[in-house]
Amino acid sequence: MRTLWQRFNRQAKLCLWVITLIGVIAAIPLGFIRVEMEHSSDTVEYVFDYRDLEEIANYQLDFTKYMDEQLASLKAAGVNSMSLYESSLKDLMQSGRLVYYSEKEMATLKGEVLDTNVNHTYVLFSSEQAATEISPIIKREFERQGVNVTEYEYKGKSGLIIDEAVNAATLKTLDFDPMTIDKLISMGFNIVARFSDRIQPFDVNWGAEQLARLNEHGVTRIIFDGTKVKGATDQAELKSLTQYAALLEKYNIGVSIIENLKAPQEGLDKLAYGTNYNIVRVYSLSPDDSFTMTAEGMTDRFLLAAKDRNIRIFFLNVGIKSNGNTGVLESSVEKLVNELAGEEGVIAQLNAEGYTSGIAKAFTYENPAWVKYLRMIVVLGAIAIITLLISTFIPGSQLIVFLLGLIGSAGLYVLNSSLLEQGLALGAAISGPTLGVIWIMNRIYARTIGERRMVGGNEWTLGGTTPIHDGSLEQHKWIFPDIAATRRLGLALNWFVVGTCITLCSVPLVFGLLHNITYRLVIEQFRGVSALHIGPIVLVAIYVFLYQGNGAKGVLSRLWNILVKPITLLWIVIALVLAAIGLYYLSRTGNSGQVPAIELIVRRWLESTVGVRPRFKEFMIGHPPMLLGLFLALRYRSAWLLIIIGTLGQLTMVSTFTHIHSPLLISVIRTGLGLGVGIIFGLILIGIWIVLEGVWRKWVWPPIRQRLEL
């Protein structure tokens, strides 16, 4: 009966691997669709914050002259577009369209006694054109909110009296300044509108009028300002996002998603869905960076954003600050213009890399009907590989775990399909590297047991000369029988390649499960980055210390033996060192991870030399220790620690493909380069070890042995 059960488990394991491989194959066409989409838009747009320029111009002697000169310089440098915000009384005064006064200020201006029974806001326009074009904007919004507005004139200047205190009046959000729009368009700039959700309540008719006017001016893109998109506040009551998405679709105006916000803008996901994902990702250059970054640094950052993160809009901010040493105000506008312009400037460099300057367009997104059937097969493959991992630690559980996985996945799909995708993607991402390294460890164990038996009993040689009696392998032997270096190298390379192939089975499953435009646009993200970066290492360590050799048999006894061992000072030191390494390792994980300066230098060199930089954690920290560990593990048991550390390289390969916003081909090239460079560095380490081992055997060990014999 036991033999029958073992045979069934072996057959079940084989079936699970077959299902896994079928899932891997099913995911490959999804990869081709993704690559085609990622090549559908290579145009990048440089958008300058017009409000920043106005704020700086207000510190200049001649506001109008300064604005005209800087706008012309920015256009000549290659800036395509200007971002224009919805206006307010403050904005309109800053741009020179009007001046507003409180009740007290107007009384002082007129030389009259203040009337404490009223508290109006007085607006005077700077010109008749401003009065003609701006007055309707002010009237429309205040009257829409129930605030009375009347015509007014003071010393020949047209104006308005708003029946509201100045502090409240200046908080109102008004429509876009038509005079500024006309001026920017006449200078050749495209307009990128910046909407907020501050105009309440949402008015679909007013929204339609706004978008119709913007459409007439050639506006094709919106970047939302604040924490909410337009219509988000009233979605529950008015279904405002649904209505606004329909309007955007009608006027062919797309939206944008800003990278690295602390939290996604509320309602953006619904607008993206409603506009059929007519959405472009935006990178924002901060005012501080506009002061400090060099043209080379800005080029590197922009190129990395365009190539690795599918960024298609670069939003340029500038600032002004006082210099206490020179006693003058300094702005970063001129510096930014110099860095953008010229044959060696940022824009020319990105053009040379294939990212031409123009109007950013959304990626073409199409999903044939057969995609959903392939994704169902990928789901089965993910469940199968997760089952294989679980059954490694719980032998004989294959059938039960697989059936539970099917039932649970079906239920989760009904409740939350996104959670199902992300959960299976995380499970598959952890399973591949773990199974790959466990396979390697089992091969090492089988080979060293065989070599030990060939030597006979518990005796083998150190350096091929002196017999050593060290007890059984189960008592954690430090030295195995001597094997020729060439043979160890061949086995190490062979096992490394096979283990890597097992690891890479996770890759198609991950990008197949996350085959959705929402992940590519970072509306949704792969969850569990920290779990992926620590899970395989922990699981491999558990397997080595508790399962190696006898499987699940005697796990509790081996665990008890470890727990009852006396804790020495050495153990404490090792634990502290490992904890420090772990904390540093986790601090590097994710978008906010910190890296040392030397690594940044290496990254830039690789980027400029190779074009695509491999992951540092692969070719320096992961693959070389793995190869060296495989080479040494056939002789020294303690070398298995290097293999556990080398698991980092295996899991990082999979982690690369969890960055769904990065182009798939870039991830493939990056992983291939990491493997190639990592193998080279690993072979160099092995060569150094062989030399040192030869020196030990020829010159260091003989004198020590003679003294021991005496």
Side-chain angles (χ1 to χ4, degrees), residues 366-532:
E366 293 183 4
N367 251 351
W370 47 265
V371 165
K372 64 180 180 180
Y373 300 108
L374 288 184
R375 294 188 72 191
M376 290 172 62
I377 298 174
V378 174
V379 166
L380 291 176
I383 296 172
I385 198 171
I386 295 170
T387 302
L388 286 167
L389 177 63
I390 294 174
S391 63
T392 299
F393 294 90
I394 310 176
S397 64
Q398 291 95 323
L399 181 59
I400 296 174
V401 172
F402 186 71
L403 290 176
L404 288 175
L406 290 175
I407 297 170
S409 297
L412 195 55
Y413 177 79
V414 174
L415 295 174
N416 190 329
S417 60
S418 177
L419 187 59
L420 169 66
E421 295 166 352
Q422 296 182 40
L424 288 179
L426 176 60
I430 292 174
S431 298
T434 308
L435 289 171
V437 178
I438 285 176
W439 182 89
I440 290 172
M441 300 304 298
N442 287 336
R443 299 289 78 73
I444 294 173
Y445 181 84
R447 173 64 65 173
T448 51
I449 285 292
E451 294 292 342
R452 190 195 119 201
R453 287 171 179 167
M454 288 173 61
V455 173
N458 295 326
E459 294 186 357
W460 49 83
T461 61
L462 175 63
T465 55
T466 306
I468 307 291
H469 182 81
D470 283 318
S472 65
L473 187 65
E474 288 74 12
Q475 294 175 345
H476 299 282
K477 296 314 310 145
W478 293 101
I479 304 173
F480 294 128
D482 199 8
I483 306 175
T486 54
R487 187 180 179 189
R488 282 192 281 163
L489 180 59
L491 288 171
L493 286 171
N494 177 52
W495 292 341
F496 179 81
V497 169
V498 176
T500 299
C501 289
I502 295 173
T503 293
L504 292 177
C505 285
S506 288
V507 169
L509 298 176
V510 169
F511 68 67
L513 286 163
L514 304 181
H515 180 78
N516 194 310
I517 189 69
T518 57
Y519 294 103
R520 294 169 212 164
L521 297 173
V522 200
I523 296 172
E524 292 184 281
Q525 296 189 61
F526 172 82
R527 303 294 178 185
V529 174
S530 296
L532 172 57

Side-chain angles (χ1 to χ4, degrees), residues 132-184:
T132 301
E133 297 196 37
I134 305 299
S135 179
I137 295 174
I138 298 174
K139 286 181 178 180
R140 183 167 51 226
E141 182 56 30
F142 278 92
E143 290 175 353
R144 191 181 76 87
Q145 297 192 38
V147 179
N148 186 52
V149 179
T150 56
E151 301 284 344
Y152 178 69
E153 185 174 311
Y154 178 72
K155 291 187 177 181
K157 292 288 186 180
S158 299
L160 299 171
I161 299 177
I162 302 172
D163 291 356
E164 192 170 48
V166 68
N167 290 337
T170 53
L171 294 177
K172 297 288 191 296
T173 300
L174 310 175
D175 199 5
F176 296 93
D177 178 0
M179 296 177 65
T180 299
I181 291 178
D182 291 339
K183 178 179 180 179
L184 293 176

